[in-house]
């Protein structure tokens, strides 16, 4: 089956589980694939912890997923961009005006962005913290010599 060769995972769920997942996707503004990847990555962290029922593990994982927030108290940020990638800050190079921030979104896959120094400070970005790369682009240009 080509899907298995490509790394695809398929499984059956009940109607209730599908509705829960759809609601969670909508609330967190993430795709099912992103949520599954986070759950799979979390298995390594949970592997050393005492085992609990799968339902409890999913509930714990869902409870610990942060929402994007604005500066107003506890109001979730709604973003029109559909490409929101969660990652870990690997490097912050601070200049006098701008900061260069590198986020690892998947093992050995990094995205770098230049943002204002003040924005980096307000977001409290430092190596090892979780952050989101929000990508809004009409064109992605690829070139070669």
């Amino acid at each position: 089956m080509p899907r298995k060769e490509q790394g695809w995972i398929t499984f059956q769920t009940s109607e209730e589980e599908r509705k829960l997942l759809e609601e969670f996707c909508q609330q967190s503004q993430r795709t099912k694939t992103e949520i599954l990847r986070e759950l799979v990555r979390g298995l390594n962290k949970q592997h050393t912890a005492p085992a609990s029922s799968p339902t409890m593990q999913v509930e714990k994982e869902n409870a610990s997923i942060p929402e994007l927030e604005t500066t107003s108290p506890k109001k979730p940020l709604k973003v029109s961009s559909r490409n929101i990638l969660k990652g870990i800050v690997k490097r912050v190079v601070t200049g006098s005006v701008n900061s260069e921030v590198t986020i690892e979104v998947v093992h050995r896959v990094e995205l770098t962005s230049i943002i204002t120094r003040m924005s980096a400070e307000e977001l409290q970005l430092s190596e090892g913290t979780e952050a989101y790369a929000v990508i809004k682009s009409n064109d992605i240009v690829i070139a070669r010599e």
Side-chain angles (χ1 to χ4, degrees):
M1 296 176 78
R3 287 186 171 191
K4 284 185 182 177
E5 292 171 9
Q6 295 172 354
W8 286 66
I9 298 173
T10 58
F11 56 94
Q12 289 185 318
T13 61
S14 69
E15 185 66 30
E16 181 182 347
E17 290 169 331
R18 278 193 295 279
K19 285 180 183 177
L20 284 171
L21 182 57
E22 289 294 331
E23 287 174 14
F24 187 78
C25 289
Q26 220 170 20
Q27 289 171 353
S28 65
Q29 296 183 336
R30 290 186 306 227
T31 65
K32 293 174 194 170
T33 301
E34 290 169 327
I35 292 167
L36 180 60
R37 284 183 181 145
E38 285 181 33
L39 289 170
V40 170
R41 286 186 203 127
L43 293 176
N44 250 358
K45 296 174 190 172
Q46 292 179 357
H47 182 68
T48 57
S52 61
S53 71
T55 304
M56 291 301 292
Q57 287 178 352
V58 169
E59 287 173 3
K60 286 179 188 175
E61 190 71 27
N62 290 347
S64 67
I65 297 171
E67 289 189 31
L68 295 175
E69 295 181 1
T70 63
T71 54
S72 63
K74 301 293 179 188
K75 186 174 181 181
L77 178 65
K78 302 253 183 197
V79 182
S80 64
S81 301
R82 292 289 144 228
N83 300 308
I84 302 172
L85 306 171
K86 184 177 180 182
I88 302 293
V89 176
K90 289 297 175 185
R91 198 169 35 259
V92 179
V93 180
T94 304
S96 58
V97 177
N98 292 326
S99 291
E100 182 179 295
V101 181
T102 301
I103 296 176
E104 184 179 54
V105 292
V106 181
H107 180 64
R108 295 177 54 185
V109 176
E110 297 179 346
L111 297 174
T112 301
S113 179
I114 296 176
I115 63 175
T116 63
R117 181 179 54 86
M118 181 158 308
S119 292
E121 289 171 1
E122 287 175 359
L123 291 169
Q124 300 176 343
L125 296 175
S126 62
E127 188 175 321
T129 58
E130 287 184 345
Y132 295 86
V134 181
I135 303 165
K136 180 73 173 181
S137 177
N138 293 330
D139 299 302
I140 296 176
V141 178
I142 298 174
R144 68 180 282 226
E145 293 186 53

